[in-house]
C-alpha cells in the first residue's frame, strides 16, 4: 500500500500557477502507474481522508498531522510502503506533523 495525500486547501491554489499544476498532475499520474507496476496498491486521498481523483483545492483549512493520523488509523495492521504528501506545507489546524511518529515513511513534495 502506498498513499498519495493531497493538501486540497485554497492556499495551495493561490500560490501555484497553472503550469505547475499541470506538471504536478502529470507527475502524480506517472508515479501512480510506476507504483502499481511495482506491485503497490495506490490510494489517492485528500486531507479529510476522502478518496479523491481530482485536485480541487477548495478546503478552507489544512490539518496535515490529522490527515496523517487518519491514514495510520485507516491502514492499521497493513503494511504501508509510504505516504507522499503533496502540500504547500502550511497547516492552520491541528498540531505540527513534524513531531508525530508514524509507522510509515512520509515523503513530501511542496
Amino acid at each position: 500500500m502506498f498513499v498519495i495525500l493531497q493538501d486540497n486547501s485554497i492556499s495551495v491554489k493561490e500560490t501555484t500557477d497553472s503550469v505547475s499544476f499541470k506538471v504536478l498532475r502529470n507527475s502524480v499520474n506517472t508515479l501512480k502507474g510506476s507504483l502499481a507496476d511495482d506491485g503497490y496498491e495506490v490510494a489517492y486521498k485528500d486531507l479529510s481522508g476522502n478518496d479523491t481523483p481530482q485536485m480541487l483545492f477548495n478546503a478552507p483549512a489544512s490539518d496535515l498531522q490529522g490527515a496523517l493520523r487518519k491514514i495510520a488509523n485507516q491502514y492499521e495492521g497493513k503494511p504501508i510502503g509510504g505516504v507522499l504528501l503533496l502540500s504547500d506545507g502550511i497547516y492552520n489546524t491541528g498540531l505540527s506533523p513534524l513531531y508525530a511518529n508514524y509507522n510509515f515513511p512520509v515523503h513530501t513534495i511542496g
Side-chain angles (χ1 to χ4, degrees), residues 44-65:
Y44 195 87
K45 300 202 173 273
D46 64 17
L47 294 183
S48 298
N50 301 315
D51 292 323
T52 180
Q54 298 180 354
M55 297 179 176
L56 298 177
F57 308 107
N58 58 2
S62 299
D63 181 1
L64 302 180
Q65 192 269 339

Side-chain angles (χ1 to χ4, degrees), residues 2 4-5 9 15 38 44 50 56 75 86 94:
F2 200 95
I4 299 173
L5 180 61
S9 64
T15 60
D38 288 341
Y44 195 87
N50 301 315
L56 298 177
Y75 296 106
L86 307 172

Side-chain angles (χ1 to χ4, degrees), residues 5-13 46-48 57-68 70 85-97:
L5 180 61
Q6 175 198 314
D7 180 350
N8 56 337
S9 64
I10 294 168
S11 66
V12 174
K13 186 176 183 179
D46 64 17
L47 294 183
S48 298
F57 308 107
N58 58 2
S62 299
D63 181 1
L64 302 180
Q65 192 269 339
L68 291 165
K70 284 178 189 174
L85 175 60
L86 307 172
S87 175
D88 59 5
I90 300 170
Y91 67 94
N92 51 13
T93 303
L95 302 172
S96 171

Side-chain angles (χ1 to χ4, degrees), residues 16-39:
T16 309
D17 62 72
S18 61
V19 174
S20 296
F21 277 130
K22 186 175 181 177
V23 170
L24 178 61
R25 282 187 188 106
N26 291 338
S27 297
V28 167
N29 288 332
T30 300
L31 175 64
K32 286 167 48 176
S34 295
L35 288 168
D37 289 346
D38 288 341

